[in-house]
Amino acid sequence: MNTYKVGDNLDLLKEIEACSVDMIYFDPPYNTGRNFFNFNDKFKTKQDYIEFIRLRLVEVHRVLKKTGSVIIHIEPRISHYFRVLCDDIFGDNNFTNEIVWKTGGNAKNKKKLNRWHDTIIVYSKSSKQNFNPQYAPYGDEYRKKNNVKICENHGKEYVTTAIHNSQPEVNPRMNLRYEWNGHEKQWYVTRDKMQNLHDDHRLVYNKKGVPRIKRFLEEMDGVPLRDLWVDISNIQRGEKLKYATQKPVKLLERIVRLYSNEGDVCMDIFAGSGTLGRACINEKRKYLLMDINEDGKSLFEKSIS
């Protein structure tokens, strides 16, 4: 582990033991037809490109653990090819997410809308996928939008949520149906729990006397991370290396935290300048990097020395 191997990643993948890797991320060639300084992104035909990717996805599936995930970073122009390939190899039921990452850009285009995002698709090997939900602290925007108040009795910030089921016929719970403050409803808590909440000043009543429960921000996880990422800049101040298509370390750190645990083995089969490796070092994971370009390995080793 913690190595960067140079060579054809298809051959290198075949050397890896089955079901031994916890997470695989890669940012593959896009078949743009361009010759980048670090690699030539050109294939003879579209079918050649699709077959090139398919062979590697088969090996990726083989080496992943049952709890593992593959995270593929691509552009919208080709994302449908990867979805079809992954549906076939991983199973369409194991599709997890399509993440939109806002990349920005100032290029002008008079013929079509400019692309401002990359696509990140996620597939699991099985229903036992390792996934760690991520949360952001509650900010001013959340407080304003959700009308956050301070409880006079507890001195804590809170929001309110419903404490009764508005569609009791969908999930009837007769043991939770009772009258409270003149209202017969199906509540989410027992009568005893409702009384305790009332006595503890954890209920807020509207003009009709229907209660809502106070939820203190300090007791909540935070704002859940969703599939639209606009908070990580594509501009990499202080970390930019001389490698085309380099991605920011913060982006890879987030992916690593979501789909692996400390001590897990994370792999990148198109490692480039080794951003995944740097993210793994920061997040206390083991890494296995591979690329056909020796320049990427040299840049990575210099960046961590």
Side-chain angles (χ1 to χ4, degrees):
M1 295 301 104
N2 297 336
T3 59
Y4 192 131
K5 296 185 177 182
V6 176
D8 187 325
N9 54 15
L10 185 58
D11 295 332
L12 295 173
L13 277 165
K14 291 178 179 179
E15 297 175 0
I16 298 175
E17 183 181 350
C19 303
S20 61
V21 180
D22 296 283
M23 188 205 88
I24 299 176
Y25 164 92
F26 64 90
D27 178 14
Y30 293 173
N31 193 25
T32 62
R34 297 171 59 188
N35 187 1
F36 293 94
F37 176 76
N38 303 108
F39 62 94
N40 189 2
D41 186 19
K42 186 176 182 178
F43 293 79
K44 289 183 178 180
T45 67
K46 179 175 65 177
Q47 195 55 46
D48 286 344
Y49 174 67
I50 292 173
E51 181 64 9
F52 172 87
I53 296 297
R54 187 191 69 81
L55 292 172
R56 284 150 181 81
L57 282 172
V58 169
E59 289 301 314
V60 162
H61 182 271
R62 182 185 66 82
V63 303
L64 270 177
K65 293 181 180 179
K66 287 186 177 181
T67 54
S69 300
V70 59
I71 301 93
I72 308 173
H73 191 139
I74 44 181
E75 66 172 12
R77 183 179 57 86
I78 58 171
S79 61
H80 55 294
Y81 300 136
F82 285 80
R83 286 289 303 272
V84 171
L85 288 170
C86 287
D87 281 350
D88 182 49
I89 295 168
F90 286 83
D92 52 5
N93 289 334
N94 288 324
F95 167 72
T96 302
N97 274 115
E98 180 178 77
I99 300 165
V100 173
W101 172 47
K102 177 187 171 185
T103 56
N106 297 314
K108 295 181 179 180
N109 195 323
K110 295 183 178 180
K111 295 184 179 180
K112 61 181 180 180
L113 298 175
N114 281 335
R115 177 169 67 87
W116 257 41
H117 75 278
D118 280 358
T119 301
I120 302 171
I121 61 172
V122 184
Y123 278 79
S124 61
K125 187 167 182 177
S126 73
S127 60
K128 298 179 180 180
Q129 180 189 35
N130 181 33
F131 176 70
N132 305 308
Q134 302 292 301
Y135 302 90
Y138 297 111
D140 292 339
E141 182 180 352
Y142 176 90
R143 287 175 166 81
K144 183 178 181 180
K145 183 178 180 181
N146 292 275
N147 193 27
V148 174
K149 298 178 180 178
I150 297 178
C151 177
E152 295 179 357
N153 302 94
H154 295 273
K156 299 177 181 179
E157 291 182 302
Y158 73 90
V159 294
T160 65
T161 59
I163 198 170
H164 73 274
N165 192 330
S166 60
Q167 294 181 305
E169 67 281 357
V170 176
N171 184 23
R173 297 284 300 276
M174 304 309 297
N175 62 316
L176 294 177
R177 293 186 182 182
Y178 55 88
E179 180 182 337
W180 181 265
N181 202 35
H183 296 275
E184 181 79 25
K185 294 183 180 296
Q186 180 172 305
W187 308 95
Y188 289 134
V189 298
T190 65
R191 184 186 293 274
D192 288 343
K193 177 65 174 179
M194 185 76 84
Q195 186 65 56
N196 290 337
L197 290 168
H198 174 83
D199 295 342
D200 193 32
H201 305 285
R202 291 292 296 264
L203 299 178
V204 176
Y205 295 87
N206 65 16
K207 294 180 179 179
K208 295 181 180 180
V210 179
R212 290 173 64 85
I213 186 171
K214 296 178 184 177
R215 298 199 179 277
F216 298 136
L217 298 194
E218 67 177 34
E219 298 174 352
M220 298 163 63
D221 293 319
V223 181
L225 180 66
R226 296 182 172 87
D227 61 6
L228 176 61
W229 296 358
V230 300
D231 59 326
I232 297 178
S233 174
N234 195 28
I235 300 173
Q236 303 145 56
R237 293 186 179 92
E239 66 178 63
K240 181 65 176 174
L241 304 176
K242 293 181 180 180
Y243 200 93
T245 70
Q246 180 186 346
K247 300 302 183 291
V249 174
K250 282 187 178 181
L251 180 69
L252 274 296
E253 287 174 345
R254 173 175 291 178
I255 290 171
V256 162
R257 289 194 299 268
L258 280 168
Y259 299 107
S260 70
N261 300 318
E262 287 191 12
D264 280 355
V265 177
C266 302
M267 183 166 68
D268 187 344
I269 64 172
F270 294 97
S273 60
T275 306
L276 178 71
R278 286 185 279 167
C280 286
I281 291 171
N282 295 343
E283 297 297 328
K284 299 179 182 179
R285 272 74 167 169
K286 301 171 186 175
Y287 61 85
L288 178 55
L289 311 177
M290 54 183 69
D291 201 288
I292 202 165
N293 190 344
E294 291 190 13
D295 291 343
K297 181 178 180 180
S298 297
L299 288 169
F300 171 67
E301 290 178 343
K302 288 179 181 178
S303 72
I304 63 172
S305 61

